[in-house]
Structures are given as structure tokens and as C-alpha cells.
Amino acid sequence: MEAGSAAATRSRLRARAADLAAGGVEVIALTFVDNAGLTRAKTFPVDRLPEVAAHGVGMSPSFDVYTSADRMVASPHVGGPDGDLRLFPDLDRLVPLAAQPGWAWTPADRFEQDGRPWAACQRRFARRMADRAAALGLTLRMGYETEWTVVREDGTDPGPGPAYGMARIVALSDYARDVTRALREEGLSVLQLHPEYAPGQFEVSTAPADGPVAAADDVVLVRETVRAVSARHGLRASFAPSFTPDRVGNGCHLHLSLHRGDTDLHRAPDTAYGLAPEADAFLAGVLDRLPALLAVGAPSPASYLRLVPSRWAGVHQCWGVENREAAVRLVPGDGHAEVKCFDAAANPYLLAGAVVAAGLAGIADRAELPEPVTGDPVGLPGARRLPRTLDEATGHFEASALLREAMGEALHGAVLAVRRAEAEDFAGSSPGDIAAATRWRY
Ligand code: GLU
Ligand code: MG
């Protein structure tokens, strides 16, 4: 029986590889996102798909303790030259890449050589948190919105024009259309694309996905597709939190809503803001733990150049209804909440999982949201400023028993080591130097 089913799987995979090849796919990129937020890849020819699906592809665990500058550090559980992991493609997510002819992409789950899941696998962490929610009968719809800055190879702005300016869309008409087209060809549902506040800055949002893993997969695909379309137009895309410190940065806000079966817990009748008690408690849990979550969602020293008041980056630990200066913005009309203080240097699996862990803790504690904040939160009591440095956020992360338990020691320790190393690498650097060093890493 066993051998028979293995043979059937093998032949299904051969047929899948043949289909992909017939559709023009020659090479498959297998990616995972490290704790510094960089998407790392191995690639293999399409006809090796059955082999790779059965045995995985090798890759050193040391990338879990790489900084964004490719400096390898060490944590209590990870580091050094020894050992190897197996990366397995998630074939349900495999998709031909619209802006890289001949290529397909699939996210990886990471395992030890003996087949045990790798304790520090970020994608698995996100799945475990989704499972925890599911065990309580809860599901989440989640989606990241992507902001980026695009420049010509010589660094100049390819599409001058004001914030939200149609002039910028006209100047980059083919580009904006090709980004939209490529994402749609890849099966993503594009909601909207627009020019953002800073020169050369754009934003695209895609429909929310079922749960943290799918949301994170989506944003990885969005980002790498935008990067590839940009290159085909002779442009360079940067997702770095701070392209230039004196300007609005690139955020990567997390949108989410909580559901129990078919019941949308953000559209509860007879409540002030549509929040059922569980959704209220979930958001209260997230809000309460934002200082620690910031080390996950704003993980680079450059993140703190972006986290400046009056830039709609949500630097105050408060919530508000449609308040763009609050870290948590409730959007009752759309039935969801947006956590604004995060950026694209974050590992989206780690971040989505950590936010779910915090929200579930809020439910367990029967937490309640405080009063919402209206207007600019600066100086308001009850609207504390979130950590101003990576060191400060990392201190909260290190002390968070909740995140340590949810992630497990190996993952929590690796994240901590990377944060400490990044903070150390940039200690004493000027904002300009930090932005310059990180601009093209993300
Ligand atoms: N670019 C802003 C940020 O850093 C967000 C602007 C907005 O979309 O509200 O998060
Ligand atoms: Mg935006």
C-alpha cells in the first residue's frame, strides 16, 4: 500500500512538472524569509520537482541568525557551520511568475534531516498560531498592504507628481498596469494601487487571505513580483522602511479580522464599533503587546527612522476609528482593523503569527479595548509613544513570556540574536547612513 501510494504521488508530481514545463516553466524558486526579513532562495529545474517534493533541498540553518547585511551571528540554538535543513516546497502555493518568464515560485517549509519540523521555521510558527485560533473555533482573515519606492537606475524619480497624483500614474502608466497585471496573473486579487506620499512611492493592496500563512505567502509574492516588474521597466524597487530619513517611509500595515464560523466578529449588531467581545479582546491583546511586537514588525534600525509622528506610521500605542495616527486603526466600514506600525523589513510569517499569539492572549485574558483616540494622539494620556529604538523594542521582546512561549526558545532566541546584532551594527550610525545601508536590502 505504502509503496503504491508513494508511486502514485510520484507520478502525480511528474505530471505536474510536465504541465508546468508545457506552460513554459523551466526553473522553480523555493523561498523562505529569514529573521532579518530577507527572502532567501534556492532554485531547481522544473523536472526535478518530484525529487525535490520528496526529499527537499538542503540549506544551512545559519540563515536564521543572519543579519540583513549577511553577517552571521549565533543564538543559543542556532549558529555555526554545522548542520543542514531540508526545504520542502508547498505545492499548493506553487505559481508561475508573471514577470519572470520561465520561472515559477513556491514558499518553503523547513525540516530537519530526519524529517522533524525545524523548531525555528517561521512559516510553521504562523501555521501553529492559526491552529491555536482554530482550536478555539476562530479564524482570521489577514492581508498586508505593500508600499515601495521606485527609482531609475541613476536614482532619479521616474514619475514625478504629487501624493495620490494622477500625474504619477500617467508618467508610469505602463509600469502601474504591468504591476497590476502580473499580480493578477499570479492569482492575487488586487484591490487597488495608488501613488503614495513620498516621491516615487506606490502602494498596492490585495484581498485578505485565509489566515496568517496565506497572508504572508501573498506578500512575499507581491513584493518579489513588484521587484521583477520594476526591473523589466529599468526601475529599482525598494521596500525599505526608510528610503530617505526626511521623508515618509514605506510601511507594511497588517489588516485583520476575526471570525467564528460564518460569524464576522467585526460586524456584531448592537455594538458601538461592530466589535464582538472576542474581536474587542483580540485587538486589546494586540494593542497591549505592541512594544514587544514592534521588534518583530519593525525589526531594523531603519524601521525607527520611519516611526515618526505625523507620517501616518502609527507610532502611538492607542487605537482609533479611522484614525491614521493610531497604531491600531479600526475600519468599521470594511469590518477590519489595521495595525499600522509595521514595515516590510519584518518577516511576514513571524509577524502574522506573533500578532495572532498576542490577540489570542487578549481573548484568554478577557481584555477590553480602552476608549478610542480621536485626533492627533501626541501628548494624550493613554497614547504612549511606542519604542523609539530597536534596542528598546528588543528589550520588550526579550521580556515577553508570551512570545517566547508561542515561538519556542529556538525561534525566539534566533530572532533576539538578530535584533541585538542589527542594533549593534548600526549603533552610532547617522540616520542617513542607516537608510543608505538598508535601502537596497529589502
Ligand atoms: N507610508 C506610511 C507608513 O509609513 C503610511 C501611509 C498610509 O498609507 O497611511 O506607514
Ligand atoms: Mg499607504
Side-chain angles (χ1 to χ4, degrees), residues 155-177:
T156 55
D157 179 359
Y164 286 73
M166 184 60 194
R168 229 192 270 175
I169 292 291
V170 175
L172 287 172
S173 182
D174 292 352
Y175 172 67
R177 179 206 59 218

Side-chain angles (χ1 to χ4, degrees), residues 261-277:
D262 290 334
T263 309
D264 183 344
L265 301 175
H266 290 247
R267 292 187 192 279
D270 308 320
T271 55
Y273 309 105
L275 294 173

